[in-house]
Amino acid sequence: TIPSSIEGIGPVAFYRISNLKKVDIPDNVKRIGALAFCKSGLESVTIGSGVKRIPLRCFEDCDKLTDVVFSEGLDSIDALAFFFCVNLKSAHIPRSTTYIAKYNSGFTLTKEDTLKLAYLDKFSTPDNHDAFLTCTGMTSFTVEEGNPIYDSRDGCNARIETKTNKLIKGISTSTIPESVKIISAHAFLYGNTPKEIYLPDGLELVEDDAIWARMEKLRIGPYLKSIHYLAIELADTICSDRRDAVPISKEGWRDFHKQYYENKVLYIPEGTTRYYQRQPWCFMKIKETNLLTGMEDVEEQKVVCRRYFTIDGKEIHAPIKGVFIEKLIYENGTSKSRKVYNNY
């Protein structure tokens, strides 16, 4: 327990205290030192409103930590603060938190952070990585509504930089909202990747190494300007809604080798094979389909009727150039609708 007279917790104060189970940090505590709880047996922690900053590697390698409660008033969470907290279940970011370290974030260290300890030689070398790197057990990651920097719009279970519409950090239960324009480098990493990922229509860029873990299916919306080769390499099945081939980022061309892709299946819209036969997509098993190329539609289904509507709901006889709604009715009586972009 921490007395009401205490205003600070020093660096490495609870380092390797294996029988530490629960700590409630009261509001009177204003400062926590770097590595304060690193490698401890901590299972639950509540951080009071007096703490403005969670410093570098504060809870690193607390592999029994399952619950953490942040209070309104927290301003920043530094790099690797929860590194290797593999059993951490959730994180709810307060409105007041305006800085969370991310990959290549360029943060600077204070004098307190640069404390020299002979048995912590890695401490003297700063890492600019995500504060929640390798928290592979997380099932919920949300931001309090009203936060001026970040949001978790549309129940996406991810952290988005509001101003840039850039998804900074995702977990295995995340979805990517239609309004997201960029997926940041290292957004989905080390066990924090969903089994199925849909890169939505409005997405413009997937940065290098944004997705770096095996997934079952990857669906590509029609407007994606560029995709890094690793995202394709790590997907077993790829479904593309584009009428022409998605460009591979220039940095990835040199590593795009046939042996990595020849056993993958690429589902593409009917009539587009000529585009996908170009390098490097030609290495894959290409299958045209007149079905939707969404995740649930790669299996064979018999379409018995197609109906078309304008974006405002007026039925039309055939597809039109631009945006329209396509409704498919299947043999079993079920139906699906989707918004379609046609540039022909």
Side-chain angles (χ1 to χ4, degrees):
T1 60
I2 300 175
S4 59
S5 58
I6 297 297
E7 294 187 357
I9 298 173
V12 298
F14 295 93
Y15 182 74
R16 288 189 183 274
I17 305 299
S18 60
N19 59 348
L20 182 68
K21 301 299 180 186
K22 181 180 179 181
V23 172
D24 291 329
I25 301 174
D27 294 345
N28 49 274
V29 173
K30 310 299 182 187
R31 300 174 303 279
I32 304 177
L35 287 94
F37 297 92
C38 178
K39 298 182 183 292
S40 71
L42 195 62
E43 297 175 2
S44 173
V45 61
T46 298
I47 301 170
S49 60
V51 175
K52 304 300 181 186
R53 175 189 179 215
I54 298 177
L56 178 75
R57 301 177 183 265
C58 185
F59 297 93
E60 177 183 339
D61 212 8
C62 292
D63 57 4
K64 295 182 175 63
L65 182 63
T66 58
D67 298 291
V68 58
V69 177
F70 303 114
S71 297
E72 187 66 26
L74 180 67
D75 179 66
S76 61
I77 306 176
D78 283 359
L80 303 174
F82 294 90
F83 184 45
F84 262 117
C85 292
V86 293
N87 287 306
L88 183 62
K89 296 177 181 178
S90 63
H92 183 68
I93 307 301
R95 285 191 301 271
S96 58
T97 305
T98 56
Y99 173 80
I100 302 175
K102 63 181 181 180
Y103 175 72
N104 198 28
S105 60
F107 71 95
T108 57
L109 298 179
T110 65
K111 289 182 179 179
E112 180 184 65
D113 289 332
T114 54
L115 176 69
K116 302 297 183 180
L117 294 172
Y119 55 91
L120 292 174
D121 56 346
K122 66 179 179 179
F123 183 41
S124 62
T125 304
D127 285 313
N128 50 349
H129 286 293
D130 188 86
F132 295 90
L133 185 65
T134 62
C135 293
T136 54
M138 290 181 70
T139 57
S140 176
F141 193 31
T142 56
V143 178
E144 182 72 21
E145 189 173 349
N147 186 297
I149 304 298
Y150 308 110
D151 68 80
S152 296
R153 67 191 69 168
D154 304 334
C156 64
N157 239 0
R159 186 171 91 248
I160 296 169
E161 195 172 63
T162 304
K163 185 177 180 180
T164 60
N165 291 311
K166 185 175 187 176
L167 193 150
I168 301 294
K169 175 67 175 179
I171 59 176
S172 60
T173 56
S174 296
T175 57
I176 303 173
E178 293 283 344
S179 55
V180 166
K181 299 296 183 185
I182 303 169
I183 299 180
S184 172
H186 290 197
F188 293 100
L189 187 69
Y190 303 137
N192 287 125
T193 302
K195 290 183 179 180
E196 300 182 0
I197 290 183
Y198 170 50
L199 304 180
D201 292 355
L203 192 67
E204 296 178 354
L205 178 64
V206 178
E207 292 184 350
D208 294 359
D209 304 336
I211 303 170
W212 200 321
R214 176 70 54 190
M215 65 191 120
E216 294 177 4
K217 296 174 184 177
L218 175 69
R219 179 182 170 192
I220 300 169
Y223 301 116
L224 186 63
K225 293 180 179 178
S226 178
I227 188 169
H228 194 254
Y229 76 99
L230 269 176
I232 303 163
E233 180 178 323
L234 294 166
D236 297 324
T237 297
I238 302 122
C239 307
S240 177
D241 287 344
R242 281 191 62 131
R243 303 294 299 182
D244 54 358
V246 183
I248 304 297
S249 64
K250 293 180 180 179
E251 295 80 4
W253 276 94
R254 64 182 180 275
D255 296 311
F256 211 105
H257 302 303
K258 180 179 179 180
Q259 63 265 29
Y260 296 150
Y261 308 100
E262 59 187 357
N263 292 322
K264 297 183 185 297
V265 180
L266 171 65
Y267 292 88
I268 58 175
E270 193 172 31
T272 61
T273 296
R274 64 188 183 278
Y275 295 108
Y276 287 91
Q277 284 177 334
R278 303 169 184 168
Q279 295 276 8
W281 295 97
C282 65
F283 293 150
M284 302 181 191
K285 297 176 182 177
I286 297 175
K287 291 187 177 182
E288 285 192 1
T289 175
N290 61 359
L291 304 176
L292 305 182
T293 53
M295 295 307 179
E296 298 175 358
D297 302 300
V298 295
E299 293 82 14
E300 292 298 326
Q301 299 181 58
K302 186 174 181 180
V303 179
V304 295
C305 180
R306 292 173 185 267
R307 299 175 66 187
Y308 306 98
F309 301 84
T310 62
I311 199 69
D312 57 2
K314 182 181 178 180
E315 187 163 9
I316 52 180
H317 296 294
I320 57 175
K321 186 174 182 178
V323 180
F324 62 92
I325 303 296
E326 180 181 45
K327 182 176 182 180
L328 283 78
I329 301 172
Y330 299 107
E331 189 175 32
N332 62 3
T334 61
S335 64
K336 283 188 179 180
S337 298
R338 72 159 183 173
K339 186 164 61 175
V340 176
Y341 175 75
N342 181 19
N343 60 355
Y344 290 98

